[in-house]
Amino acid sequence: LGPTLINLGHVAYIKCKFKEALEFYERGLILIPEEPAREKNPYYHKLNYYLGIIYESESKYEKAIALCTQSLKDLILIYGPKSKEAAIFNYNTGIIYFNSGRCEEASKCFNTAHNVIAIVRHARYEEGIIKLGLGATYYIQGKHKEALSTNHEALTTIQIWGVANSYLLGHCY
């Protein structure tokens, strides 16, 4: 029943019904079995992650950060530190830090995400998005040269991906 409630919560989440999603997630959390270890249960890290995003939307940043960092630790146990999933979760945790005004922590998350995504195949678009986040933290920190350089790299990466993607899509039709 726990995974079903989490899935219902995810449906509500996608529809931006965060209060309803929160209720499903919290009920699902209670029903996820302790054994095998929660940390290795793929529903558990996703649940913490989505709960964190919902708390961020309510400006409950400390709670959101705690849940998302725990989710990231659990995800790394399942997929490893050099996975695309780890990069994406690092990036999203960086966004929460950024929105809460904690640019140093955001910058660390974005750098970690970038270092991981740079070695993942077929992830150029994600690399560009991560660089944009890093550029924003540099700008807020007054590191304008780094921000300009990083944002230029990001836009170049995203533009190349977009042109290649448009070309490929054009040949599919």
Side-chain angles (χ1 to χ4, degrees):
L1 185 59
T4 302
L5 289 170
I6 293 168
N7 288 336
L8 289 171
H10 190 59
V11 169
Y13 177 88
I14 289 170
K15 292 181 178 182
C16 296
K17 296 180 179 181
F18 297 127
K19 188 173 183 173
E20 185 179 323
L22 186 60
E23 291 172 12
F24 280 121
Y25 288 149
E26 287 176 342
R27 287 175 41 209
L29 180 62
I30 294 167
L31 297 174
I32 291 177
E34 292 289 337
E35 296 296 329
R38 278 187 170 181
E39 297 82 30
K40 294 185 180 178
N41 185 325
Y43 288 104
Y44 190 65
H45 79 270
K46 288 180 184 177
L47 175 62
N48 276 340
Y49 173 75
Y50 290 124
L51 280 169
I53 299 298
I54 290 170
Y55 286 126
E56 180 201 15
S57 74
E58 296 175 345
S59 300
K60 297 178 181 175
Y61 296 115
E62 292 310 311
K63 200 168 189 176
I65 289 168
L67 286 164
C68 285
T69 54
Q70 183 58 52
S71 178
L72 178 60
K73 289 176 187 174
D74 295 341
L75 177 130
I76 288 171
L77 287 175
I78 296 169
Y79 297 106
K82 304 280 186 209
S83 65
K84 185 175 180 177
E85 291 83 3
I88 292 167
F89 273 47
N90 265 298
Y91 170 77
N92 289 335
T93 303
I95 292 290
I96 296 171
Y97 276 121
F98 183 82
N99 289 338
S100 69
R102 295 168 62 179
C103 288
E104 286 295 321
E105 291 96 334
S107 185
K108 287 177 188 174
C109 287
F110 293 144
N111 273 317
T112 300
H114 178 261
N115 291 338
V116 171
I117 208 71
I119 62 171
V120 174
R121 289 182 173 210
H122 310 296
R124 295 288 293 162
Y125 180 75
E126 290 88 346
E127 182 180 1
I129 296 297
I130 290 166
K131 283 182 181 178
L132 281 176
L134 186 57
T137 61
Y138 287 154
Y139 180 79
I140 296 293
Q141 294 170 329
K143 300 175 183 177
H144 296 167
K145 280 187 178 181
E146 292 92 337
L148 187 61
S149 172
T150 304
N151 284 338
H152 177 73
E153 288 175 30
L155 294 174
T156 302
T157 302
I158 291 169
Q159 182 181 22
I160 289 169
W161 182 88
V163 169
N165 195 35
S166 298
Y167 177 80
L168 291 172
L169 286 174
H171 285 286
C172 291
Y173 293 101

